[in-house]
Amino acid sequence: MTERALAIATRVEAFVRETVIPYEKDPRCGDHGPSDALVQEMRVKARAAGVLTPHILPDGSHLTQRETAIVLKASGLSPLGPLAVNTMAPDEGNMYLIGKIGTPELKARFLDQLVSGESRSAFFMTEPALEGGAGSDPSMMQTLCHRDGDHWVINGRKAFITGADGAKVGIVMAKSEDGACMFLVDLPDPAIRIERVLETIDSSMPGGHSVVLIDDLRVHESQMLGASGEGFKYAQVRLSPARLSHCMRWLGCATRAQEIAVDYACRREGFGKKLIDHEGVGFMLAENMIDLQQAELMIDWCAGVLDGGSLGTVESSMAKVQVSEALYRVADRCIQVMGGMGVSRDTVVEQIFREIRAFRIYDGPTEVHKWSLAKKLKRDHARAHAA
């Protein structure tokens, strides 16, 4: 690992532990995520500490994926950490995509305000399940767009749009006659109406997750990312790094939960000795050590593949499955070790458990990734045994 990445990660970790963690009890942390006022208050402090948007260097270049891994893990030591230092989803992935695909004009208009931490963004892709819209299968997309002079007109409904309420920048996916398209839009816009904010198991993302109606949204042709019909191609640019950055951040959260559970087990007594001295408890915490180490190695392996220039679709699917399942086991065992304290909100472990449970769904549920990997095995077998 490079010295610059270690130095950045060390500063981020110190900031999260010393400055961000005390905010976890702030009343502005609501069921639909922390308020924007709280986020901006933390970002002022992050900017002063020199740790705002730490994965993007002053010249606009990014850390490598392997370097990003240790920085995002450090930011994830609190559910508020990624918000405070601007490494959160979906913004981190959106910044990456705009940086790769956007024109200089689009970068100046949309990217700069995200990198500076002044604004939040939302990615409008998924659609209502009960209406047969796109979810894990993006080819089911029903939101349509068509040309009207030098503008595009977009109509449809989106569901589970993270951070839409309060976002200033949107990436909207729709389908033209050519195929999938992506558009950058300023928010709020009267043609994009939030119908409701969903009640969900997680509560770490500002603005929560919304159902949104898009009604005759007019977007100038200059705001299309790339070309008409190439939206899925561009989505692949964002896909693997975004999957992996989820793993990085939640590895930090699970590491924190383990720290709290170990501390509890080393202090709490029952049946004549410390809990950690009971084999059943000690073994659970030991298993957590193993799962955390395996997750870290899986992330580093996949990051190395991406740094080598590959899209890493298969590798990121494998990493997402292994890491999300392993971290869920870690959080679950921490709850179990801590008993009544674990299921209460006296510590952050209960929230971490809820957030990681949702992680097993976000960016593709485990079963979809396994199905995709099985299809690859079938293709490889067919090629190997072709006449």
Side-chain angles (χ1 to χ4, degrees):
M1 185 50 61
T2 64
E3 290 186 7
R4 71 174 182 180
L6 289 171
I8 294 170
T10 298
R11 293 199 304 272
V12 169
E13 178 172 347
F15 178 76
V16 171
R17 291 191 184 277
E18 296 166 12
T19 304
V20 175
I21 286 176
Y23 278 105
E24 289 174 352
K25 298 295 186 182
D26 194 292
R28 291 172 290 178
C29 296
D31 289 340
H32 294 150
S35 70
D36 283 311
L38 173 56
V39 172
Q40 287 303 320
E41 184 176 316
M42 292 189 295
R43 287 185 180 181
V44 168
K45 295 182 178 181
R47 189 178 291 109
V51 293
L52 189 68
T53 324
H55 59 294
I56 299 180
L57 302 175
D59 64 0
S61 64
H62 283 241
L63 295 177
T64 67
Q65 289 294 317
R66 295 186 73 189
E67 291 175 318
T68 298
I70 64 166
V71 173
L72 264 62
K73 175 189 174 184
S75 75
L77 287 166
S78 167
L80 294 175
L83 313 180
V85 303
N86 201 26
T87 60
M88 68 183 190
D91 293 53
E92 185 267 336
N94 291 344
M95 285 188 273
Y96 184 85
L97 176 63
I98 299 170
K100 291 286 187 181
I101 306 299
T103 63
E105 294 75 20
L106 290 178
K107 290 178 184 178
R109 179 174 170 183
F110 296 102
L111 179 59
D112 289 355
Q113 61 181 300
L114 297 179
V115 174
S116 69
E118 300 167 26
S119 303
R120 291 194 289 103
S121 64
F123 192 82
F124 294 77
M125 186 189 79
T126 50
E127 298 171 340
L130 296 180
E131 297 173 15
S136 296
D137 182 356
S139 68
M140 296 169 65
M141 187 173 299
Q142 295 183 0
T143 301
L144 301 177
C145 60
H146 66 271
R147 267 193 176 277
D148 182 17
D150 58 359
H151 283 72
W152 287 83
V153 180
I154 306 171
N155 284 280
R157 292 181 76 231
K158 299 291 186 178
F160 220 89
I161 306 306
T162 302
D165 188 10
K168 300 299 183 185
V169 174
I171 300 178
V172 177
M173 288 200 73
K175 188 165 60 176
S176 72
E177 292 182 352
D178 304 316
C181 306
M182 285 188 181
F183 301 90
L184 277 167
V185 299
D186 293 299
L187 297 174
D189 189 293
I192 301 178
R193 298 198 295 273
I194 294 175
E195 295 184 327
R196 64 190 178 101
V197 180
L198 299 166
E199 303 295 333
T200 62
I201 192 173
D202 60 340
S203 58
S204 68
M205 299 182 183
H209 312 283
S210 296
V211 177
V212 178
L213 175 66
I214 301 176
D215 184 16
D216 284 338
L217 172 66
R218 295 183 64 85
V219 183
H220 193 270
E221 61 186 4
S222 63
Q223 291 171 233
M224 179 180 282
L225 268 176
S228 177
E230 297 190 354
F232 288 149
K233 171 186 173 183
Y234 303 137
Q236 291 297 316
V237 172
R238 182 186 188 277
L239 184 63
S240 293
R243 284 177 187 162
L244 197 59
S245 61
H246 273 318
C247 297
M248 299 168 186
R249 287 183 292 265
W250 271 307
L251 175 60
C253 266
T255 298
R256 172 92 177 288
Q258 171 78 342
E259 291 174 359
I260 294 170
V262 168
D263 181 70
Y264 181 86
C266 288
R267 293 173 182 270
R268 175 68 164 152
E269 289 192 3
F271 303 99
K273 55 186 176 182
K274 303 292 186 185
L275 290 188
I276 199 165
D277 293 325
H278 291 279
E279 190 173 83
V281 173
F283 278 15
M284 283 192 284
L285 295 172
E287 288 165 355
N288 279 359
M289 284 181 64
I290 296 167
D291 272 336
L292 289 168
Q293 184 65 52
Q294 287 177 332
E296 187 161 16
L297 292 172
M298 196 75 164
I299 291 168
D300 184 70
W301 164 72
C302 184
V305 170
L306 295 180
D307 285 338
S310 170
L311 280 177
T313 306
V314 170
E315 292 85 356
S316 65
S317 280
M318 293 170 66
K320 201 276 179 178
V321 170
Q322 193 277 333
V323 173
S324 66
E325 297 296 323
L327 299 188
Y328 178 73
R329 292 192 296 268
V330 170
D332 183 64
R333 292 188 195 111
C334 289
I335 294 282
Q336 195 71 13
V337 165
M338 296 175 67
M341 180 70 76
V343 299
S344 78
R345 296 191 176 181
D346 283 359
T347 77
V348 75
V349 172
E350 177 270 345
Q351 183 188 355
I352 290 173
F353 173 82
R354 290 187 286 108
E355 304 293 341
I356 291 177
R357 181 60 186 87
F359 173 36
R360 294 173 64 202
I361 301 293
Y362 297 163
D363 270 29
T366 294
E367 293 72 22
V368 170
H369 288 294
K370 288 182 177 179
W371 175 63
S372 176
L373 293 169
K375 288 198 298 181
K376 180 187 185 308
L377 291 173
K378 183 178 179 180
R379 290 194 303 270
D380 290 349
H381 180 272
R383 281 195 291 266
H385 292 83

